[in-house]
C-alpha cells in the first residue's frame, strides 16, 4: 500500500487501557501522535535466530531503523492476533496460525513520534521471508546468544529497544 493510501486508513485512538475513545485516519493519528493499538511478532527460527529487519526508508515512522518485531497498527475492530498474523504476512511474507503466536509482552509506549498500546507475540518460522509489501529493506538472522550485543550495536526503533529487547532478554531461554 502506498503511503498516501495508508494515511486514509481508519485507526482506533485508545486510552492507556486500550479502550477506544475515537476513530481517526492514520494520517491524523500520526500528525497528532495519538495513542493507538499496535501488534508485533518476533520471529525465531528453529536454529534459535531472531529474524531482525531494517525498516524501509519511506516508512512514516522511524525509517531505516532496525526492528525485532514484524507488525504495525491494528485495524478498527480487528482482534490482536488477527492483526499480528496479517502484519507478519504483509511484512515478512510468512503465514502462521493465530494459535501459533505466543504472548511475549504487552504495554504502553509513548515518545515524541509514537503513542501505542502494544501486544507482542513470538512465533517460530524458518521462512522463506519474502517481505512482499516493501516495508522491509533488509533482514538479518541474529543468533539468540548474541541478541543483546547485536541490539546494542544497531539503530533500533525506540519501542523495540524499550519493550521487545528487555522482554526477550528476560524470557526463560529462547522463545520456541
Amino acid at each position: 500500500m502506498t503511503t498516501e493510501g495508508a494515511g486514509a486508513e481508519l485507526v482506533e485512538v485508545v486510552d492507556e487501557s486500550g479502550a477506544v475513545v475515537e476513530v481517526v485516519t492514520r494520517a491524523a493519528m500520526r500528525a497528532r501522535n495519538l495513542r493507538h493499538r499496535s501488534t508485533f511478532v518476533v520471529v525465531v527460527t528453529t536454529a534459535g535466530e531472531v529474524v531482525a529487519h531494517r525498516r524501509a526508508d519511506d516508512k512514516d515512522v522511524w525509517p531505516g531503523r532496525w526492528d525485532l518485531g514484524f507488525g504495525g497498527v491494528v485495524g478498527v475492530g480487528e482482534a490482536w492476533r488477527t492483526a499480528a498474523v496479517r502484519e507478519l504476512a504483509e511484512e515478512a511474507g510468512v503465514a502462521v496460525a493465530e494459535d501459533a503466536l505466543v504472548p511475549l509482552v504487552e504495554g504502553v509506549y509513548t515518545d515524541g513520534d509514537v503513542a501505542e498500546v502494544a501486544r507482542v507475540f513470538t512465533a517460530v518460522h524458518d521462512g522463506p521471508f519474502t517481505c512482499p509489501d516493501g516495508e522491509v529493506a533488509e533482514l538479518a538472522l541474529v543468533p539468540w546468544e548474541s541478541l543483546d550485543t547485536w541490539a546494542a550495536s544497531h539503530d533500533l526503533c525506540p519501542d523495540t529497544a524499550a519493550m521487545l529487547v528487555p522482554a526477550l532478554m528476560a524470557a526463560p531461554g529462547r522463545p520456541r
Side-chain angles (χ1 to χ4, degrees), residues 37-55:
R37 295 187 305 142
S38 295
T39 188
F40 305 95
V41 180
V42 177
V43 178
V44 180
T45 68
T46 56
E49 301 158 315
V50 175
V51 182
H53 63 281
R54 190 174 61 78
R55 295 166 59 88

Side-chain angles (χ1 to χ4, degrees), residues 23-62:
V23 175
V24 300
T25 64
R26 182 182 179 119
M29 177 267 293
R30 289 290 186 223
R32 296 170 32 210
N33 195 17
L34 300 172
R35 184 176 297 110
H36 59 282
R37 295 187 305 142
S38 295
T39 188
F40 305 95
V41 180
V42 177
V43 178
V44 180
T45 68
T46 56
E49 301 158 315
V50 175
V51 182
H53 63 281
R54 190 174 61 78
R55 295 166 59 88
D57 292 331
D58 63 352
K59 290 291 290 174
D60 59 352
V61 174
W62 304 321

Side-chain angles (χ1 to χ4, degrees), residues 12 15 20 85-86 99 102 104 110 116 122 128 130 138 171 173:
E12 295 170 339
D15 63 18
V20 178
V85 166
R86 174 184 52 76
D99 63 359
V102 177
L104 176 66
T110 304
E116 63 189 354
T122 61
T130 60
E138 70 180 289

